[in-house]
Amino acid sequence: LKAYNGIEVLRLDDVTGKTDVALSARTSKANQWGADFYLSIHHNAGIHGGKGGGVVAFTYMNVDADTKDWQKKLYNAIITKTGLKGNRSEPLATKDLHEVRESDMPAVLLECGFMDSATDVPVILKDIFADRVAEACVEVIVSKAKLTQKPTAPKTVEVDGINTGRGADELILYVGKASTGTNGW
C-alpha cells in the first residue's frame, strides 16, 4: 500500500510478536485514529488435524452493504490468489467478535486457513501464501478506495564507457558511430 497515494496504514499489533495487544486496545486505537476500514488477518484452529478448513471472512451481524461488499471482495480475492477455498459451510460469516463489533468503521476479520488442518497446513506454511493473501488484500483496498499509484522514479542505467570497447557485463554508449564495429546491429 506504500506505493499508493491517499492512504495511511495503522498497524494495531506488535510487529515483533513479543506482546499480545488486547483486542480492546486495537479497536479503541483504530476508532480514535478515525480509520475508514478495519482489517484483521488471522489463521484459525479447531479442525484437530482434520481435512476441513479454508478461508472465512467475518463481519458483525446486521452490517451495512459497504461492509458486506468489503467482506465478499476480500474473500473472493483471497480464494482467487491462494486457491485455498476449503469446505466451510459459511465462508462469508457473521459473528459477535470483538474486532468487528467494536470498530466504528466497516470491519472484516479474515481467517486464512486452519493451523491444525491436514489440508490447510501444507498450503499456509508456504511463504508465497502470505504474499498472495497480502496481494489480494491490497488489490481490494486499492479498488474500493479508488487509490492511485504514486509515480515511480525513472530507472537509471550506469554507462561503463563512451565510444570504447565493450567488456563482459558492460554498457557502452556509442555517440556518432553507426555500430559497435563488431556487427551490423
Side-chain angles (χ1 to χ4, degrees):
L1 289 171
K2 291 178 184 178
Y4 293 89
N5 293 307
I7 188 161
E8 293 178 72
V9 176
L10 174 66
R11 280 198 65 168
L12 301 167
D13 62 337
D14 174 10
V15 296
T16 67
K18 294 178 182 176
T19 305
D20 184 25
V21 179
L23 298 178
S24 60
R26 295 177 191 196
T27 53
S28 292
K29 193 170 183 179
N31 291 339
Q32 290 168 1
W33 195 60
D36 296 314
F37 178 64
Y38 189 104
L39 178 61
S40 186
I41 304 171
H42 305 262
H43 288 296
N44 211 336
I47 301 296
H48 306 293
K51 294 184 180 180
V55 176
V56 182
F58 289 99
T59 64
Y60 189 56
M61 297 157 294
N62 302 317
V63 294
D64 63 11
D66 186 41
T67 302
K68 288 180 182 181
D69 189 53
W70 277 106
Q71 177 191 34
K72 184 176 181 180
K73 286 182 175 174
L74 284 162
Y75 174 81
N76 288 335
I78 290 170
I79 297 308
T80 299
K81 285 279 186 184
T82 68
L84 185 65
K85 184 175 182 179
N87 61 356
R88 306 311 305 155
S89 60
E90 190 180 5
L92 300 174
T94 59
K95 199 166 186 180
D96 187 13
L97 301 171
H98 179 91
E99 288 179 287
V100 294
R101 180 186 68 236
E102 297 300 323
S103 56
D104 293 341
M105 68 289 303
V108 176
L109 187 145
L110 298 172
E111 295 285 7
C112 298
F114 282 69
M115 297 181 294
D116 58 351
S117 163
T119 304
D120 290 3
V121 168
V123 176
I124 66 178
L125 286 181
K126 293 179 182 170
D127 289 340
I128 193 74
F129 181 80
D131 292 341
R132 289 183 177 155
V133 169
E135 289 169 9
C137 293
V138 167
E139 286 176 8
V140 172
I141 292 167
V142 166
S143 174
K144 289 239 347 133
K146 298 178 176 62
L147 301 178
T148 58
Q149 197 162 14
K150 293 178 182 174
T152 56
K155 289 186 177 183
T156 59
V157 179
E158 188 173 322
V159 175
D160 297 300
I162 299 175
N163 289 341
T164 64
R166 182 174 60 89
D169 298 325
E170 289 185 335
L171 178 65
I172 306 300
L173 175 64
Y174 291 94
V175 179
K177 295 178 104 181
S179 77
T180 64
T182 58
N183 60 42
W185 296 274

